[in-house]
Amino acid sequence: MLKGAIEYAPSTFEERGAAVAFTTPLLSQTRVRRGERSKLEVLIPSLSQGMGIYVVAWKSVPDMVSMTMHDRYLHDLIVKEDACSPHEIRRATLKAARRGLAGPKAAQAARHALEEDEEQSTLTHYLLILAILKAVGLESPEMLKAGIDTDEGQRLTRQLMTRAAESLRMDATLLYSRLADVAAVAAPVGLARSPKPGRLVRGLMDLKGFRDSLTDWAREVPSEAAPVAAFCAEVAQHTIAIGDKVLGDFHRRIEAIGPLMRDWDVEIVRVRAQAARMAWLLDGWSHITGAWEVVQTEDHHQQAATVNDLFRILPLLPRKESSRDFVEDAKQVRQAQRRSVRMLEDWRTGQMDMDAIRRIEAVKARAP
Amino acid sequence: MTEAADGSGRGKIDHLPGLESRLFDIPEDKFIEVVRLLERVRDHPDVRQTFAAIRPRLVQVRPDRRPTMKRVLCMPFEDVLESLSGVDVPLGRIERRVIEPVWRLVTECGDTALIDQLDRQVQETAPGNLNALRNIGRRLWPMAAQAIRGAVEQDGSRQMVWRLLHGDEELRRQVLDVAAFLDIGLTVEALKDALAPKPLPALDDHHVEAIEQAAQAAARQSPTLVYYLLLVAASRMANPADLLAVLNDIDLGKARREQPVIFAQLSGLVVTNLEERSARLDGKRDGAGGAAVAIAPEEAIAIAERLVASVNTTSAVMDFLAEPVYRERLDAVKAAVRTMVTGSVLDTAPQGILTVVAAPAASGRPVAVDDDAQTAAEDHARALRRCEGLADALGLHQPLKDAMASMEKGLLERAQALLAQYPKAAGDPDDAETAEMNLFYALRLLEMVAGPAKADRLRTAIMAATGEFGEE
């Protein structure tokens, strides 16, 4: 069940696991991954400010930790759906929050996020149709005027898409099906020319804001947490640098929609891998950037405590993703900040820390 | 100043009709902009009244105000100036009505050439440039202290002082206190930096060290000034009684022999301060027009926690003084806090928590959840749980236990009633979702009141009814 504390230096994103937005303070942002024999397991960092990480069989977690009702529900859902990727975990998390178990505000935010996903999916689909038509020289002002959600617009679209398929020497059904595949891959990231940035593009933008804000904070606020903040900003910067590169390449490939449709078998694998990499890169960051935003209205002491909390759950890049050994660097920072870490009261007393839960729920209401 | 003695300047102004109330509603950046404009004409009586009216928001927003000589003069004692809202009262407070006569004494009896010179410097200083203002203060404060003391204590100026202070002895005492704060102006300013942010949640070693150094510096000027220095230190703390707890370990330097007297003075003041704060609880409950103003449960608990912490610390250090009269006074403070907690958190729990779980409608169709009501009920449930930390100190163990048990029972009964009705809604997806939201909201309240272990039984029952994880 409990394998004991181990050194934590994952090579790949999959080995690092996907962050789960639990509301139990001890479990907040712990990572789930597929372990031996494909069984789900959870990674719980530094139970007592130690250096290691505990690997626990997913099914055993409720026996080990007193969990909130929200987390029990989410735990069951993840088991039921055998969820493990950032995308699957996010869907499960939104579904749990939508039930109201993390409070009314988190429920509203989850409903809003799910609606936004739907809208983004429709918008991406529409933009991709326009891109295909443009690629084969069939841009139609009439279709744009009629709008894609009217009968007339849809009739025109079908007509034009049939001609586009002919031009691409493929069956119209196949073209539709491939477009749907590309839309499903691209919607969470967002297209380069989308009037509304996609979720992961937004995540990358938020991360840039977080990096800037923490860099300023580390420089301007005299605090023992300043080196920790500077380290968080560095990790963010490394993630951003990789993210910008992956995103640029992803957008270029999607923009070249003609070649994408023609060299389908090779290209779709590439873009799918890039979208997945974006999701892994940004996994766990939305809670961190959200928590930093929430604490902006509070004093420097609260902000310093939050910096230390966030350091504990910082999504360090796996070894294969970066030439820099962040795990080793984090150890140096941890040595320095050990004195000023906010204790996880619930672990020691067995009591739920209502204030800590509330802080986590406030982040969930802001960044579901 | 023309502000009413109770500090409630709102709603009494004719010349800038409605401006004050609008200034409470506009966005923060606009508010700061308007404050900057008003400051250009701040000496106009109407504008002064407007400032008095909007002071609560000024305190909240804290825009960098345009520096004035009067503001520089007040810097050393701004921490002990009376607050106009809330329950917290600074220790040994100086009333705001003192500022005007003090300023008149300084300008009429002080070095006018120096005042004019410093005034020009103030006008050239940018808002927020604290160092520049302190440099001006360095020359203003000693001169002002001397001028005030000279005027109040010399026979020659007795008439003028009598006129300015309206023969008010209390005002005269406070004016002399102001002179003492001005004497140690620079030391006070340095201490403020060390004791930041205000209110300081707890005293660390480096805070105590800073207080010790500042106290020794004040003692070098005069042993009597140490008391005033400590008042500033106490007023910057969330729990002023914490200072008493460390005072006997502080080396007061040249004021070492006065230590017992200073300790007794401060102790008395802390107790009086606690009494004043608990009296404000009654004030809050009675409201201005005699109507009851309810304190929100979470606010009530936060106030109670601060007061109980102060009473406990004070009691602990008072044992040293062995003064039974203090003990009685502190018990009275605790009784006032207990009454407030009982009235605002325990007695109101059934209304605040239970009623949000809607009874099943006669039609069988579930009632839509009310997010605002649920949020308020959750706040109340959290407050109830936080009472646990105060139960021993306030003797609320049994009433709290009873309230919790009654909430647990009530929530379970209501949840069971909803659960029994659930099959009727299950056929329609929308109704089913509404019914499930009702159940999950009730579950969440139960979790807060009774803890996850007890709530988990209800969760299992809900999951069994909805069949969501049926195959498990």
Side-chain angles (χ1 to χ4, degrees):
Chain A
M1 186 169 100
L2 187 67
K3 296 185 182 175
I6 56 157
E7 269 294 297
Y8 182 52
S11 300
T12 62
F13 282 127
E14 286 78 4
E15 203 186 319
R16 189 181 73 176
V20 186
F22 283 129
T23 55
T24 307
L26 182 65
L27 295 177
S28 172
Q29 299 295 305
T30 49
R31 291 178 172 272
V32 59
R33 70 179 183 192
R34 219 169 277 291
E36 289 166 26
R37 295 193 298 281
S38 286
K39 294 265 190 222
L40 293 180
E41 55 188 25
V42 65
L43 310 167
I44 306 178
S46 53
L47 291 178
S48 54
Q49 300 168 49
M51 304 286 276
I53 188 139
Y54 286 84
V55 181
V56 180
W58 183 257
K59 289 207 168 192
S60 314
V61 177
D63 301 328
M64 288 188 60
V65 182
S66 175
M67 295 165 92
T68 59
M69 291 301 100
H70 167 271
D71 291 359
R72 294 293 297 250
Y73 182 93
L74 179 56
H75 180 268
D76 285 355
L77 195 59
I78 288 174
V79 171
K80 186 192 165 203
E81 300 190 347
D82 199 25
C84 203
S85 71
H87 176 68
E88 292 163 343
I89 295 291
R90 178 173 176 274
R91 297 296 289 191
T93 305
L94 290 179
K95 209 169 160 186
R98 206 174 62 108
R99 296 305 224 160
L101 287 169
K105 287 201 175 77
Q108 286 162 10
R111 277 195 292 272
H112 182 66
L114 286 165
E115 280 163 18
E116 241 181 20
D117 282 1
E118 284 287 316
E119 280 168 22
Q120 193 67 32
S121 170
T122 311
L123 177 67
T124 307
H125 213 122
Y126 179 60
L127 292 171
L128 284 171
I129 289 174
L130 293 181
I132 277 279
L133 296 178
K134 190 180 174 195
V136 297
L138 287 172
E139 283 169 287
S140 160
E142 290 80 21
M143 187 195 99
L144 286 177
K145 208 173 159 192
I148 205 159
D149 50 353
T150 63
D151 289 346
E152 176 60 8
Q154 289 192 358
R155 193 188 61 77
L156 278 169
T157 308
R158 268 197 303 276
Q159 217 173 54
L160 290 165
M161 284 295 279
T162 309
R163 286 171 58 195
E166 281 165 15
S167 168
L168 289 164
R169 293 196 184 84
M170 62 201 296
D171 184 60
T173 324
L174 184 63
L175 178 59
Y176 269 116
S177 133
R178 286 184 178 178
L179 260 185
D181 283 351
V182 179
V185 171
V189 183
L191 297 174
R193 293 175 193 205
S194 174
K196 195 174 178 188
R199 178 170 57 81
L200 293 174
V201 168
R202 258 193 341 258
L204 196 60
M205 282 169 6
D206 290 347
L207 190 53
K208 287 174 184 173
F210 172 80
R211 171 202 59 195
D212 295 344
S213 172
L214 268 206
T215 308
D216 291 347
W217 194 89
R219 198 173 44 230
E220 287 160 16
V221 176
S223 163
E224 284 181 0
V228 184
F231 179 75
C232 293
E234 276 180 56
V235 176
Q237 171 51 36
H238 267 74
T239 310
I240 290 163
I242 300 174
D244 274 340
K245 217 162 143 251
V246 176
L247 188 65
D249 198 33
F250 176 82
H251 280 154
R252 263 192 303 282
R253 286 176 190 280
I254 298 274
E255 293 258 294
I257 190 115
L260 173 62
M261 289 296 154
R262 275 195 297 275
D263 306 330
W264 178 255
D265 291 342
V266 178
E267 284 297 304
I268 189 66
V269 173
R270 279 202 185 131
V271 290
R272 202 171 268 147
Q274 283 169 330
R277 195 158 173 231
M278 278 300 289
W280 276 113
L281 266 174
L282 293 170
D283 180 53
W285 280 108
S286 71
H287 174 86
I288 290 178
T289 54
W292 185 243
E293 267 181 51
V294 166
V295 85
Q296 286 314 293
T297 52
E298 298 192 35
D299 63 40
H300 287 161
H301 286 254
Q302 274 303 323
Q303 290 174 355
T306 301
V307 166
N308 284 326
D309 286 349
L310 297 182
F311 172 74
R312 182 177 163 272
I313 54 168
L314 206 58
L316 300 179
L317 288 164
R319 278 175 300 169
K320 275 194 184 164
E321 294 293 329
S322 168
S323 53
R324 186 170 156 186
D325 187 351
F326 279 105
V327 176
E328 193 51 44
D329 293 350
K331 274 189 207 161
Q332 307 297 324
V333 178
R334 190 174 290 140
Q335 297 280 11
Q337 63 105 231
R338 200 180 279 189
R339 273 196 318 140
S340 49
V341 179
R342 191 152 44 191
M343 295 298 286
L344 290 162
E345 302 284 349
D346 53 339
W347 178 253
R348 295 180 305 153
T349 59
Q351 290 264 321
M352 281 287 181
D353 182 340
M354 304 273 275
D355 275 348
I357 295 172
R358 191 179 206 180
R359 278 197 296 274
I360 294 168
E361 288 177 350
V363 177
K364 208 177 248 297
R366 195 179 188 109
Chain B
M1 299 271 267
T2 50
E3 182 188 310
D6 65 354
S8 59
R10 286 180 81 178
K12 297 180 180 175
I13 297 106
D14 301 326
H15 297 79
L16 297 169
L19 179 63
E20 304 76 31
S21 59
R22 283 206 298 280
L23 283 174
F24 278 84
D25 302 326
I26 59 174
E28 195 167 304
D29 52 340
K30 286 277 166 222
F31 175 75
I32 292 171
E33 213 174 291
V34 175
V35 168
R36 295 238 187 291
L37 287 174
L38 285 175
E39 280 192 318
R40 288 167 196 258
V41 284
R42 65 162 302 118
D43 288 333
H44 191 285
D46 294 342
V47 176
R48 258 195 258 162
Q49 289 204 26
T50 301
F51 269 109
I54 62 170
R55 192 169 298 286
R57 189 155 190 207
L58 283 174
V59 171
Q60 192 194 352
V61 176
R62 293 195 174 275
D64 276 337
R65 308 275 300 275
R66 190 174 69 86
T68 61
M69 281 289 274
K70 210 189 282 178
R71 200 161 290 137
V72 177
L73 183 77
C74 293
M75 282 165 69
F77 59 95
E78 65 186 0
D79 282 327
V80 289
L81 273 176
E82 68 181 325
S83 58
L84 297 175
S85 56
V87 171
D88 293 336
V89 186
L91 218 58
R93 68 167 187 271
I94 300 286
E95 292 173 77
R96 287 184 185 272
R97 65 189 178 107
V98 175
I99 296 173
E100 202 52 39
V102 161
W103 177 243
R104 293 276 302 276
L105 283 176
V106 173
T107 47
E108 287 178 27
C109 308
D111 179 346
T112 45
L114 179 63
I115 291 171
D116 288 345
Q117 185 198 347
L118 296 178
D119 192 26
R120 282 193 294 277
Q121 287 180 27
V122 167
Q123 286 179 29
E124 287 164 11
T125 306
N129 187 349
L130 200 55
N131 278 341
L133 297 180
R134 283 174 176 172
N135 269 331
I136 294 164
R138 181 194 298 269
R139 299 176 66 197
L140 172 65
W141 299 326
M143 179 276 288
Q146 207 179 352
I148 294 168
R149 213 171 273 120
V152 175
E153 288 169 357
Q154 277 170 18
D155 288 345
S157 47
R158 186 167 291 165
Q159 280 294 328
M160 182 189 67
V161 172
W162 180 261
R163 176 172 48 81
L164 279 176
L165 305 182
H166 314 293
D168 184 335
E169 262 312 303
E170 173 57 24
L171 211 53
R172 184 176 179 277
R173 185 193 61 75
Q174 289 188 38
V175 165
L176 285 172
D177 284 348
V178 165
F181 286 112
L182 293 172
D183 275 332
I184 50 171
L186 276 180
T187 312
V188 165
E189 288 301 306
L191 184 63
K192 280 185 193 171
D193 288 343
L195 301 183
K198 183 189 170 188
L200 199 63
L203 275 182
D204 290 339
D205 288 350
H206 65 277
H207 297 132
V208 177
E209 207 173 300
I211 296 171
E212 187 172 67
Q213 279 176 9
Q216 288 174 6
R220 281 195 292 275
Q221 279 181 259
S222 161
T224 54
L225 294 175
V226 173
Y227 169 70
Y228 295 95
L229 191 280
L230 294 175
L231 281 184
V232 173
S235 287
R236 294 191 67 79
M237 288 155 54
N239 177 6
D242 285 347
L243 184 62
L244 290 182
V246 297
L247 192 56
N248 283 319
D249 299 326
I250 290 179
D251 178 1
L252 297 182
K254 288 195 168 178
R256 215 168 286 144
R257 277 196 307 180
E258 283 82 2
Q259 190 130 352
V261 179
I262 291 172
F263 184 84
Q265 271 180 311
L266 269 183
S267 306
L269 214 51
V270 165
V271 177
T272 309
N273 177 258
L274 286 169
E275 286 169 340
E276 282 180 0
R277 285 158 78 185
S278 63
R280 279 201 182 191
L281 296 178
D282 287 341
K284 258 193 121 151
R285 290 185 66 76
D286 291 344
V293 178
I295 307 177
E298 284 210 300
E299 191 197 348
I301 290 296
I303 293 167
E305 283 171 347
R306 287 204 299 278
L307 287 176
V308 166
S310 295
V311 168
N312 286 346
T313 316
T314 314
S315 299
V317 287
M318 285 301 186
D319 285 345
F320 175 81
L321 286 183
E323 287 260 22
V325 64
Y326 279 142
R327 174 78 52 210
E328 281 166 29
R329 286 167 65 187
L330 288 174
D331 284 346
V333 171
K334 276 213 259 189
V337 176
R338 182 193 149 106
T339 306
M340 187 234 349
V341 170
T342 307
S344 304
V345 186
L346 301 189
D347 294 349
T348 50
Q351 180 65 27
I353 298 172
L354 285 186
T355 53
V356 76
V357 183
S363 65
R365 294 203 67 189
V367 183
V369 291
D370 178 342
D371 281 353
D372 291 339
Q374 174 73 13
T375 303
E378 289 182 5
D379 288 345
H380 203 136
R382 278 192 205 92
L384 201 58
R385 281 292 293 274
R386 272 170 73 183
C387 276
E388 285 172 343
L390 298 169
D392 277 342
L394 297 179
L396 277 175
H397 229 79
Q398 196 55 44
L400 177 63
K401 206 174 147 194
D402 293 346
M404 297 281 247
S406 138
M407 287 306 101
E408 184 184 330
K409 188 166 168 277
L411 283 168
L412 264 174
E413 280 169 5
R414 282 164 187 253
Q416 293 297 350
L418 289 174
L419 207 51
Q421 289 290 102
Y422 178 76
K424 288 186 190 165
D428 179 284
D430 286 342
D431 280 359
E433 188 169 344
T434 308
E436 286 161 21
M437 280 299 276
N438 272 295
L439 282 166
F440 283 127
Y441 273 0
L443 172 65
R444 192 168 149 80
L445 288 173
L446 184 67
E447 176 185 21
M448 287 178 165
V449 168
K454 284 182 178 164
D456 205 39
R457 288 199 282 273
L458 175 62
R459 185 188 71 91
T460 312
I462 295 173
M463 300 324 292
T466 60
E468 196 173 343
F469 301 134
E471 65 270 33
E472 288 257 300

